[in-house]
Amino acid sequence: EDVGSPGVICKSQFELTPNAGEAIGKLKRTFNWPVVLITNQSCVGKGLLTLSELEKIHIHMRSLLLQEDSWATIDRIYVCTSVEEWDIRKKPNPGMITEACIDWGIDIKSTLDMDCVFFIGDSLTDMQAAKRSGIRNRILVETGYGFDLMGG
């Protein structure tokens, strides 16, 4: 769950969005597609926590997901720690999405491949990054910033 700036900077602050594990598990069972997380973590770039501390938060998140559903696995986490808006990897820029597509053998120039890619996010920068990378299947959820973006 997005807590705003500066974000979750210790494991005890992390709260899983209700039913997130169930939703990821259902996606994995139904389609058997990889599920990746693409996240800006400028708090690391600002020195508010270390990469090691961030990894502990991610381990905790993965554990909570599995407690909800044994299929709720995150296949890879892509992290941008930059504080620079121009960084190609930092959302709303498409760099991390492009990187993930390459890593998972998805041809971003192929309509057929991109029709099988879904991007689920809760912020305007999420949707902008997905659009800039050529993803047509973009889903804005009402958690985090999504609720306000949809008019509350």
Side-chain angles (χ1 to χ4, degrees):
E1 184 168 348
D2 197 317
V3 296
S5 184
V8 173
I9 57 173
C10 67
K11 188 174 84 168
S12 64
Q13 291 177 314
F14 184 86
E15 291 184 25
L16 198 61
T17 297
N19 303 313
E22 182 181 329
I24 292 170
K26 187 173 184 177
L27 281 172
K28 297 285 274 194
R29 274 190 301 281
T30 304
F31 300 106
N32 198 28
W33 289 342
V35 172
V36 301
L37 175 64
I38 295 176
T39 179
N40 287 342
Q41 294 296 324
S42 61
C43 51
V44 175
K46 293 174 184 173
L48 299 174
L49 78 158
T50 65
L51 279 173
S52 176
E53 291 166 327
L54 179 61
E55 179 61 24
K56 288 177 185 173
I57 293 168
H58 288 163
I59 289 168
H60 179 61
M61 174 193 65
R62 284 176 153 144
S63 173
L64 292 175
L65 288 169
L66 288 171
Q67 287 175 30
E68 273 193 24
D69 190 307
S70 63
W71 281 75
T73 57
I74 303 286
D75 294 288
R76 181 150 179 209
I77 300 175
Y78 295 83
V79 178
C80 179
T81 61
S82 178
V83 296
E84 304 297 337
E85 295 303 316
W86 53 262
D87 189 313
I88 192 65
R89 295 187 78 246
K90 186 174 182 177
K91 296 181 292 182
N93 299 318
M96 285 189 287
I97 297 172
T98 301
E99 184 181 336
C101 287
I102 291 167
D103 289 351
W104 294 95
I106 298 166
D107 181 355
I108 59 174
K109 294 184 184 349
S110 165
T111 302
L112 186 60
D113 275 9
M114 292 307 280
D115 281 346
C116 296
V117 175
F118 288 78
F119 193 94
I120 302 168
D122 70 350
S123 70
L124 180 59
T125 57
D126 287 342
M127 297 300 105
Q128 291 169 327
K131 183 176 182 178
R132 289 175 183 174
S133 67
I135 296 174
R136 288 177 295 284
N137 301 310
R138 300 181 298 269
I139 301 166
L140 179 65
V141 295
E142 290 186 346
T143 58
Y145 299 106
F147 184 75
D148 290 336
L149 286 171
M150 289 188 234

